[in-house]
Amino acid sequence: MINITLPDGSVREYDKGITSMQIALSISEGLARNVLAAEVNGEVWDASRPIEQDSTVKLLTWNDAKGKSTYWHSSAHLMAEALEALYPGTKFGIGPAIETGFYYDVDFGDIQFSSDDFKKIEDKMIELAKTKSDYIRKPVSKVDAIEYFTEKGDEYKLDLIKDLADGAITLYSQGNFTDLCRGPHIPNTGHIKAVKLMSMGGAYWRGDESRKQLTRIYGVTFPKASELADYVHLIEEAKKRDHRKLGKELELFAFSEKVGMGLPLWLPKGAALRERLTRFMQNAQVKAGYEQVITPHIGHKNLYITSGHYEKYGADSFQPIKTPQEGEEFLLKPMNCPHHCEIYKTKPRSYKDLPVRFAEFGTVYRYEQSGELHGLTRVRGFTQDDAHLFCRPDQVKDEFKKVIDLVLYTFGALGFDNYTAQISLRDPDNKAKYIGSDETWALAEAAIIEAAEEKGLPTVVEYGEAAFYGPKLDFMVKDALGRKWQLGTIQVDYNLPERFELEYTGSDNQKHRPVMIHRAPFGSLERFVAVLIEHCAGNFPLWLSPEQFTILPISEKYEDYAKKLSDELKNSDICGLIDFRDEKIGRKIRDAEVKKIPYMLIVGEKEAAEGLVSVRRHGVGDLGSMSIEDFKQQIIKEITV
């Protein structure tokens, strides 16, 4: 007999070799019908896999993230089976689950394939799903695996097998399809009730541009047709909110091939929005005791050798800039922190001077492959609302908590109220990826965990997600559509002060190392603006809107009155424009609504004669007539709130 510990802490005794599905059946048949997989001692297993020793077991259903991931991985195999049935000779690369759904990289050979074929594949997947074929796990030797895929003629699987250790190779089969896979999988195909293939694109085998480009097919599946319908509706709404689409329509930013891929151009309205965000953060930072600094866009190669960035990222970064002087090389700045370390070193520091808080809206440059670039969310040049705090060890936790307060203040002002704080720690099984001693890592990780707990943050812990120089707290924000984005980040760093030999004189008159805290509540202005656009669908808070009003004269006769109103509003720091076009007022109103301008001020004979404005609110409608002074006070009150 073995003991099985369940999530509620209860312990049940079962025969050795029992499966998770049998455990579920012993609890209730209803539960068993919904079980997709199980977490056994922290590892996700097939529900049919025998358990041979005392274990902790969590049964996974559609409501669990790991249950969904297993479901979508199995759906990728189902799609591969459908493709193989419809297009004999198709070869397969990899087919993982992703955050929502799955993809499979496919080599169709000479077969012409397009999105017009999606419906045929979807129908075939549903047909195969109805057979309720079991997903069967089979451990095989490396020799047998090579023999199987050699006979099948699938060079991609053979390439994968080369890197696998003998004794750790498994095949999975369902219906007439067999794949190289470590699993796990759902019990059978019958759980898959609704299918939608979403898109397709190109993907180089193993991400290597020198190798063959495969066809990557993305799909999503659900256990209920109604859930698929809801998801499709969500996708359509997301398309309407796409920051690339709205950024163009609202004239916020653009890209130019001549300037370079991944290098955004901020247009006047976008620059105004960005400037407001910058002022908002700078004002908050001044109140919190930060000092503004400015550093160059490039740095000597030795700076990044000292910091460790060159060793970690040099090969995949923009390459060094050579000067006429022999051996002299500079790099486009990939990070602001090394420069701030050098600013710290410009004069002696005492324990009484700490903490020192340097802040900079610093533009940095990181090379991203062209296929990874995406609007403002993945670019090659971006501006961070960066700051670095240098403090004594006894100040770390309090400073960290103050930064948390600043991040939450920022989120609150911009309507992000659904977030989780991810505590990103070092991978305990791969410490070679990181710099610094075990002792300093332990101190840094403890400080983050304690600060998050004391601030009452909703947290999750993720191992292996730390920066190479220290652990961090990443704020994962959900937008209006429920999508998750990583925005603000805070990091504790004992390592860069050591590498740059930073010091302060302690109360004992001895030299000590400060601790460094990296923080960026926005993360980057580019990414933050992209997420904000999609979160509010371009309907920015009034204080942030590039154009807060537009004055719509009914005819040319009232343009002088419109100019007078505009000047009066601008003198009160309320910004906007006048629509001088020779168009009917209905057209002007519709165009202002499309541009998402918060307030429309309509002026005609009555308004000019009585010193009034007729006010419309975007998305609301007519607010009636009011004096310009009353309108100003309404705007100022709304901005202040």
Side-chain angles (χ1 to χ4, degrees):
M1 304 295 285
I2 57 173
N3 292 318
I4 300 298
T5 304
L6 299 174
D8 63 0
S10 63
V11 179
R12 297 190 178 206
E13 196 173 61
Y14 293 98
D15 290 331
K16 183 178 179 181
I18 191 155
T19 67
S20 301
M21 182 59 73
Q22 289 169 330
I23 293 171
L25 278 166
S26 74
I27 297 171
S28 82
E29 288 188 7
L31 174 61
R33 281 195 297 271
N34 292 311
V35 166
L36 300 174
E39 194 170 349
V40 180
N41 298 326
E43 183 181 348
V44 182
W45 283 18
D46 304 323
S48 59
R49 188 170 167 182
I51 303 171
E52 305 291 346
Q53 61 187 24
D54 292 350
S55 300
T56 59
V57 174
K58 179 182 179 183
L59 301 171
L60 302 174
T61 69
W62 175 252
N63 295 323
D64 299 291
K66 292 177 181 177
K68 279 190 176 76
S69 180
T70 304
Y71 184 95
W72 283 326
H73 183 197
S74 300
S75 299
H77 280 232
L78 182 65
M79 182 177 75
E81 183 183 5
L83 289 170
E84 195 168 73
L86 293 169
Y87 308 100
T90 297
K91 300 172 185 178
F92 299 96
I94 58 171
I98 53 178
E99 186 173 0
T100 303
F102 57 90
Y103 70 77
Y104 221 123
D105 290 341
V106 181
D107 182 354
F108 286 105
D110 296 329
I111 297 170
Q112 295 299 310
F113 181 85
S114 73
S115 58
D116 293 338
D117 298 303
F118 282 1
K119 179 66 167 62
K120 179 167 60 174
I121 299 164
E122 291 166 358
D123 291 344
K124 188 66 175 178
M125 289 176 69
I126 291 296
E127 176 191 324
L128 294 170
K130 288 178 178 178
T131 65
K132 298 185 179 179
S133 298
D134 291 338
Y135 287 89
I136 300 169
R137 180 178 185 269
K138 180 184 178 183
V140 295
S141 68
K142 193 164 188 172
V143 170
D144 288 345
I146 291 171
E147 182 182 344
Y148 178 82
F149 286 104
T150 299
E151 184 178 337
K152 190 174 181 182
D154 197 328
E155 63 266 31
Y156 304 105
K157 299 302 180 183
L158 291 170
D159 192 30
L160 293 171
I161 291 168
K162 283 192 305 186
D163 300 328
L164 300 179
D166 203 358
I169 300 174
T170 52
L171 304 182
Y172 272 84
S173 300
Q174 92 275 356
N176 294 317
F177 180 73
T178 297
D179 205 355
L180 174 72
C181 183
R182 65 171 173 263
H185 285 281
I186 61 177
N188 63 69
T189 60
H191 289 271
I192 300 169
K193 304 289 188 184
V195 175
K196 179 75 173 174
L197 300 190
M198 304 302 297
S199 63
M200 58 182 284
Y204 292 105
W205 174 236
R206 294 198 148 187
D208 184 343
E209 294 183 16
S210 68
R211 305 181 78 170
K212 184 165 183 178
Q213 189 176 61
L214 307 182
T215 301
R216 178 168 291 180
I217 304 174
Y218 291 91
V220 69
T221 52
F222 290 91
K224 293 180 182 177
S226 60
E227 291 182 80
L228 175 59
D230 290 343
Y231 178 74
V232 170
H233 174 73
L234 187 72
I235 292 299
E236 291 304 314
E237 183 62 28
K239 287 178 182 176
K240 296 176 190 174
R241 293 170 176 250
D242 189 319
H243 75 278
R244 295 167 298 176
K245 172 179 175 287
L246 290 176
K248 184 176 181 179
E249 291 174 358
L250 301 179
E251 300 176 18
L252 300 176
F253 61 88
F255 290 91
S256 161
E257 287 187 11
K258 287 185 179 179
V259 172
M261 296 177 67
L263 300 172
L265 301 171
W266 291 91
L267 307 181
K269 293 175 186 178
L273 183 149
R274 176 180 163 134
E275 184 62 27
R276 283 187 175 81
L277 281 172
T278 300
R279 285 204 306 267
F280 165 81
M281 184 57 68
Q282 286 174 334
N283 291 338
Q285 287 174 166
V286 167
K287 293 175 184 177
Y290 288 80
E291 298 173 285
Q292 194 75 21
V293 297
I294 299 173
T295 61
H297 287 245
I298 64 173
H300 198 284
K301 180 179 171 181
N302 288 339
L303 179 69
Y304 306 109
I305 290 174
T306 300
S307 69
H309 290 96
Y310 190 76
E311 179 187 354
K312 289 287 179 182
Y313 304 118
D316 299 319
S317 299
F318 286 106
Q319 293 306 290
I321 304 165
K322 297 184 185 296
T323 73
Q325 185 170 323
E326 184 68 28
E328 186 176 53
E329 293 182 314
F330 289 81
L331 290 172
L332 287 171
K333 181 171 62 173
M335 298 285 246
N336 297 302
C337 39
H339 295 72
H340 290 189
C341 288
E342 288 298 307
I343 292 176
Y344 178 90
K345 290 179 71 172
T346 55
K347 66 179 183 180
R349 309 280 177 176
S350 161
Y351 73 98
K352 293 181 180 179
D353 299 327
L354 303 186
V356 172
R357 309 179 186 94
F358 295 140
E360 174 181 17
F361 277 84
T363 301
V364 297
Y365 303 89
R366 300 179 192 171
Y367 183 76
E368 300 280 358
Q369 291 189 358
S370 58
E372 298 294 324
L373 299 174
H374 183 83
L376 292 180
T377 61
R378 200 74 178 266
V379 290
R380 289 172 172 167
F382 54 93
T383 301
Q384 295 179 305
D385 60 322
D386 220 350
H388 297 95
L389 293 71
F390 302 88
C391 55
R392 304 189 307 265
D394 62 293
Q395 297 172 319
V396 170
K397 189 164 71 173
D398 282 343
E399 286 299 307
F400 202 92
K401 287 160 66 176
K402 289 175 184 175
V403 176
I404 290 174
D405 289 337
L406 180 60
V407 172
L408 299 186
Y409 168 70
T410 302
F411 288 174
L414 291 158
F416 291 111
D417 52 11
N418 189 349
Y419 60 86
T420 301
Q422 177 179 298
I423 300 173
S424 300
L425 305 179
R426 184 171 58 159
D427 182 351
D429 299 323
N430 191 6
K431 294 180 181 179
K433 287 167 50 180
Y434 311 93
I435 59 177
S437 68
D438 288 345
E439 181 184 4
T440 57
W441 272 89
L443 289 169
E445 290 179 344
I448 288 180
I449 292 168
E450 290 173 13
E453 185 177 330
E454 290 178 19
K455 296 303 294 184
L457 296 178
T459 60
V460 295
V461 175
E462 292 289 345
Y463 290 95
E465 293 297 318
F468 76 92
Y469 51 76
K472 55 182 179 168
L473 191 69
D474 292 321
F475 285 84
M476 314 303 289
V477 173
K478 281 191 175 181
D479 67 12
L481 298 183
R483 299 170 301 177
K484 190 164 67 173
W485 303 87
Q486 193 262 307
L487 291 179
T489 186
I490 319 171
Q491 303 167 10
V492 177
D493 184 358
Y494 287 80
N495 294 307
L496 282 188
E498 189 72 35
R499 295 178 78 95
F500 280 91
E501 299 180 343
L502 306 184
E503 294 179 338
Y504 67 90
T505 302
S507 58
D508 58 1
N509 213 32
Q510 300 298 309
K511 297 296 183 184
H512 299 272
R513 290 270 185 262
V515 182
M516 195 172 173
I517 297 175
H518 308 243
R519 48 110 287 201
F522 289 150
S524 80
L525 278 172
E526 285 72 13
R527 183 177 176 82
F528 194 88
V529 168
V531 175
L532 183 62
I533 289 171
E534 298 196 9
H535 177 60
C536 65
N539 298 303
F540 300 112
L542 183 63
W543 66 269
L544 194 56
S545 294
E547 295 167 338
Q548 294 166 325
F549 69 84
T550 180
I551 301 176
L552 311 178
I554 287 177
S555 73
E556 188 179 345
K557 288 191 296 183
Y558 308 108
E559 288 181 1
D560 288 341
Y561 181 58
K563 291 174 186 175
K564 177 186 173 185
L565 293 176
S566 178
D567 291 342
E568 191 169 343
L569 290 169
K570 288 178 180 178
N571 287 337
S572 298
D573 290 328
I574 303 168
C575 58
L577 52 87
I578 304 171
D579 188 342
F580 290 114
R581 294 178 304 155
D582 185 20
E583 297 282 359
K584 291 184 178 180
I585 194 67
R587 173 65 184 271
K588 290 184 178 183
I589 291 172
R590 284 194 300 275
D591 289 349
E593 288 282 357
V594 169
K595 292 179 180 178
K596 302 179 187 293
I597 299 173
Y599 283 98
M600 290 150 272
L601 308 181
I602 301 163
V603 294
E605 181 179 4
K606 180 174 184 288
E607 288 78 16
E610 300 179 16
L612 301 173
V613 289
S614 181
V615 182
R616 289 183 65 88
R617 185 69 161 95
H618 169 65
V620 176
D622 186 15
L623 300 183
S625 296
M626 62 183 75
S627 70
I628 192 64
E629 186 60 34
D630 286 345
F631 176 70
K632 280 197 305 187
Q633 293 306 313
Q634 178 171 321
I635 290 276
I636 291 167
K637 181 180 178 182
E638 188 174 340
I639 289 173
T640 304
V641 171

